[in-house]
Amino acid sequence: MRLVTWNVNSVRARLERVVAFCERAAPDVLALQETKCTAEAFPREPLEALGYEVAAAGHSQWNGVALLSRVGLADVEEGFPGQPAWGDPPRTEARALGATCGGVRVWSLYVPNGRTLDDPHLAYKLDWLARLRDAAAAWRTADPGAAVALVGDWNIAPADDDVWDPTAFVGSTHVSPAERAAFAAVGDAGYREVTREHLPEPHTFTYWDYQRLRFARREGMRIDLAYASRALADRVTGVRVDRDERKGKGASDHAPVVLDVADA
């Protein structure tokens, strides 16, 4: 199975690129984040024409997640158990979508940004991650041999070498001890972060801000990551970041992360 996670930063704005990527890279499962459209407005037809089943979650022009699969799409679940709400009035945002694809339980995740260290959104982010950790631990307890993939935009750089210059992020979100601890806690629940296992080199980035020529200057962050249950992690044979998709007109500010997974 080829499993890809990609923060597409508006699926309707980048539909031609998504279709071309599917034709070129041939993912079996594509997890999208920040689709920025309702489920009803998701552009399914061109992707279904390529042989993909589509599940999408979205409530507005913000957030949004989707799963595309050509190896089956069963037991679709919007939101994980205990997922916290945000807003006034509070509402569960479209940030998590799970489905069973080719025997693997895949979750497309768009972790809240956090905004600033003194913003209530950071407390929401930490609570969101804690609830995800609890849900992920429960899934492993229920079935220790289950193949589970938690993939997406985590909005956390787990280590200093996951940002282009740690001094530029002092006092910022994405690198704070609390966020990094919340990310590591998912690993403590019995999952392995497989992108670093296969791409251990420092400055292996997946995101580059549009401003200040960050991509051209190789000033990025590694925030698109993949936790796999132990049963699945042993089957991952390779990982790569498709930097070509960050190039050219109309590119997302994130690159796809491609995981190749052997049969069970």
Side-chain angles (χ1 to χ4, degrees), residues 3-237:
L3 168 61
V4 177
T5 180
W6 188 9
N7 179 321
V8 74
N9 193 7
S10 179
V11 67
R12 290 180 293 180
R14 269 165 266 286
L15 179 59
E16 289 186 6
R17 293 192 69 125
V18 173
V19 169
F21 173 78
C22 287
E23 292 174 333
R24 175 174 62 82
D28 296 299
V29 181
L30 176 57
L32 297 176
Q33 301 87 41
E34 205 173 358
T35 55
K36 292 185 176 180
C37 67
T38 65
E40 294 75 19
F42 191 95
R44 299 167 177 268
E45 290 80 4
L47 299 162
E48 291 173 340
L50 296 178
Y52 289 95
E53 295 180 76
V54 178
H59 309 304
S60 68
Q61 73 273 30
W62 309 112
N63 308 318
V65 283
L67 286 167
L68 285 57
S69 175
R70 58 181 189 179
V71 291
L73 190 71
D75 302 321
V76 176
E77 185 177 0
E78 181 177 347
F80 53 82
Q83 182 177 328
W86 173 257
D88 185 16
R91 183 179 187 180
T92 302
E93 297 182 300
R95 292 184 175 274
L97 186 68
T100 301
C101 308
V104 177
R105 188 66 178 170
V106 180
W107 282 89
S108 180
L109 304 172
Y110 183 36
V111 176
N113 179 283
R115 299 177 181 169
T116 65
L117 295 182
D118 58 358
D119 194 295
H121 206 258
L122 180 60
Y124 166 55
K125 178 179 188 175
L126 296 176
D127 186 29
W128 200 97
L129 287 163
R131 303 288 187 91
L132 174 63
R133 186 265 179 208
D134 291 344
W139 296 329
R140 284 207 69 250
T141 299
D143 185 357
V148 182
L150 311 175
V151 304
D153 178 0
W154 292 77
N155 271 314
I156 296 172
D160 282 351
D161 64 15
D162 293 326
V163 297
W164 62 273
D165 179 3
T167 65
F169 292 84
V170 173
S172 300
T173 58
H174 292 59
V175 299
S176 71
E179 291 166 281
R180 287 177 169 177
F183 180 81
V186 178
D188 295 338
Y191 293 76
R192 284 164 38 198
E193 204 293 287
V194 293
T195 70
R196 183 179 295 279
E197 287 186 15
H198 291 268
L199 297 172
E201 297 81 7
H203 293 184
T204 301
F205 301 138
T206 65
Y207 163 84
W208 301 260
D209 195 289
Y210 287 128
Q211 300 179 9
R212 301 181 183 179
L213 297 174
R214 294 296 190 201
F215 184 70
R217 295 166 62 179
R218 299 183 179 273
E219 296 176 349
M221 305 173 70
R222 188 201 311 235
I223 58 176
D224 301 271
L225 305 154
Y227 266 119
S229 62
R230 291 169 182 168
L232 180 63
D234 289 338
R235 292 167 50 193
V236 177
T237 59

